[in-house]
Amino acid sequence: MQEIADIEQALRRAAPHRLVGVVEDALREHCGALGVELRLADYALRSLQLVGGTAGADPSVPVHDSPQGRAFGAQEPYVLREAESLRLHLPVTVRGDRLGVLTAVLPPDTDLRPLLPALAQLCEALGHEVLVAERDTDLYVLARRATRLTLAAEMQWQLLPGRSCARPEFALAAHLEPAYAIFGDNYDWSVSDGRLTLTVTNGMGEGIEAALLTNLAINALRNARRAGLGLADQAALADQAVYAQYRGAAFVSVLLLRFDLATGEVEAVDAGSPRLWRLRGHAVEPVRFDEQLPLGMFEDTAYATERFSVRPGDRLLFGSDGVYGAVSPAGESYGDRALARALRGTRLLPPTHVPQAVLRELAAHHGGGPLDDDALVVCLDWYGTASTVAV
């Protein structure tokens, strides 16, 4: 497919709701495709939802028990050969963020070997254009919904940077439950100028009040970060913003971290309840910080940074209080012991699979019923740079 550049240009020029049609037209012309589908992962990462309407197609297929799900989970093409056609399922992923799966129905005698590199490039281009198109159409946002979002969850999902991110130095992924009714848990990240800034946030309260509180804190932290302030000053500015609005009646717990991508040195500000565990080799241990006041509790709180370092091969797991505070039917807290066990048990999984796996363990511990609080898990694998690996 020497014409891949032309297809990418056609995608950029297309109306936001016409992206799948552009891909289908191109694959019909260049590969003799009989049909094309795009499915996006739903908010709970349990199903792949069809974009638009295709006659005879299931609107939703499960992530864990479908051909499309195999491509999505493994992040590799999956081929299903049938009597009269060949179904090729391709992951659609942008900078490590798994968006969904593109399915092309091709003639049964199609030779895939010369096509796969160009098709992978096409899927990446399609993913980029989907993210851009979401500014101008609700088509792709609606496709991600297996059920209706609460208003609070709608607000929270609009804040999030994505569900995963990958760079040569690290890979990270996060998941929230209940995905369609989250309250105040949130996370944010930014990669720039040789640094990764990561925040894990928990706004007190429930429903709209918790979502509004977290929105204010996240945007205050972003405003301070984008102004070039240091980590402690970012916390102080957000603290002032929350206090000015709520006068101490509401507060936000947050863990702020800034990683030096070249050295693995980390600055941290612990302003509340989100906790951090580290898996190094087979050893799991909590990374403890001096506890400082949550944002907005008192006026003009001063914050101090602490430092630690990560090594290539380290895995960090962040959990909100809805994770470590969850209790079993017998009243036993999930706590450090169960989390350490879950972290060891998932050590062979890629980081994109770890948050969901831990939250499934949490649900089983809780007795299988709905959680009493929303729960957030963030997993970060640290690879380091060539120089840090050599050390």
Side-chain angles (χ1 to χ4, degrees), residues 131-387:
L131 294 180
V132 173
E134 286 182 351
R135 299 180 306 180
D136 302 313
T137 178
D138 286 338
L139 176 66
Y140 308 103
V141 175
L142 289 173
R144 291 192 174 96
R145 301 175 187 216
T147 188
R148 184 174 178 177
L149 287 173
T150 66
L151 179 54
E154 182 92 47
M155 295 168 65
Q156 294 289 59
W157 280 104
Q158 290 299 314
L159 272 183
L160 298 175
R163 280 184 293 220
S164 50
C165 177
R167 283 274 303 260
E169 302 89 351
F170 68 88
L172 67 90
H175 193 61
L176 288 155
E177 286 290 351
Y180 289 87
I182 50 176
F183 304 142
D185 285 2
N186 206 283
Y187 58 87
D188 193 26
W189 62 66
S190 175
V191 187
S192 59
D193 194 25
R195 291 185 298 221
L196 163 68
T197 302
L198 173 65
T199 60
V200 183
T201 311
N202 180 15
M204 67 174 289
E206 298 182 357
I208 296 297
E209 291 301 322
L212 287 169
L213 175 61
T214 301
N215 265 260
L216 174 60
I218 290 289
N219 280 293
L221 288 167
R222 287 174 176 172
N223 179 256
R225 184 185 73 224
R226 292 164 182 170
L229 300 183
L231 211 62
D233 289 335
Q234 291 176 32
L237 187 146
D239 169 71
Q240 293 168 15
V242 175
Y243 184 83
Q245 184 67 32
Y246 292 95
R247 312 304 296 180
F251 55 85
V252 179
S253 299
V254 60
L255 179 61
L256 296 89
L257 297 154
R258 186 161 65 184
F259 295 78
D260 187 310
L261 298 181
T263 67
E265 293 298 311
V266 188
E267 291 179 88
V269 173
D270 181 0
S273 67
R275 297 189 189 179
L276 169 60
W277 293 262
R278 177 174 56 212
L279 173 65
R280 179 172 287 171
H282 292 281
V284 177
E285 58 182 351
V287 180
R288 303 192 186 279
F289 304 104
D290 293 334
E291 294 184 10
Q292 302 181 70
L293 293 173
L295 307 183
M297 184 170 281
F298 297 103
E299 189 173 12
D300 295 329
T301 303
Y303 293 92
T305 57
E306 301 176 69
R307 294 182 179 272
F308 69 102
S309 61
V310 287
R311 303 174 186 169
D314 281 356
R315 168 168 286 179
L316 303 180
L317 190 80
F318 306 81
S320 66
D321 59 357
V323 176
Y324 57 80
V327 295
S328 70
E332 179 186 359
S333 175
Y334 194 61
D336 289 347
R337 184 180 302 177
L339 256 171
R341 187 168 58 247
L343 192 48
R344 289 191 190 95
T346 57
R347 68 183 183 278
L348 299 180
L349 294 177
T352 49
H353 292 152
V354 172
Q356 274 192 298
V358 171
L359 288 168
R360 285 196 295 271
E361 292 266 349
L362 176 67
H365 173 86
H366 190 63
L371 296 173
D372 300 323
D373 191 5
D374 45 346
L376 164 64
V377 173
V378 180
C379 178
L380 169 66
D381 278 9
W382 187 259
Y383 307 133
T385 61
S387 60

Side-chain angles (χ1 to χ4, degrees), residues 37-71:
E37 293 177 358
L38 174 63
R39 294 179 182 273
L40 298 178
D42 87 306
Y43 288 109
L45 286 175
R46 296 189 181 96
S47 64
L48 292 162
Q49 305 289 121
L50 184 65
V51 175
T54 303
D58 291 333
S60 175
V61 298
V63 166
H64 298 293
D65 189 23
S66 68
Q68 296 92 334
R70 291 186 65 166

Side-chain angles (χ1 to χ4, degrees), residues 31-100:
C31 308
L34 308 174
V36 169
E37 293 177 358
L38 174 63
R39 294 179 182 273
L40 298 178
D42 87 306
Y43 288 109
L45 286 175
R46 296 189 181 96
S47 64
L48 292 162
Q49 305 289 121
L50 184 65
V51 175
T54 303
D58 291 333
S60 175
V61 298
V63 166
H64 298 293
D65 189 23
S66 68
Q68 296 92 334
R70 291 186 65 166
F72 182 79
Q75 287 293 286
E76 294 179 352
Y78 180 72
V79 180
L80 191 61
R81 296 186 181 274
E82 301 172 338
E84 299 181 356
S85 65
L86 179 154
R87 290 184 179 270
L88 174 62
H89 305 289
L90 296 156
V92 177
T93 300
V94 178
R95 293 194 178 95
D97 194 7
R98 302 178 301 162
L99 302 183

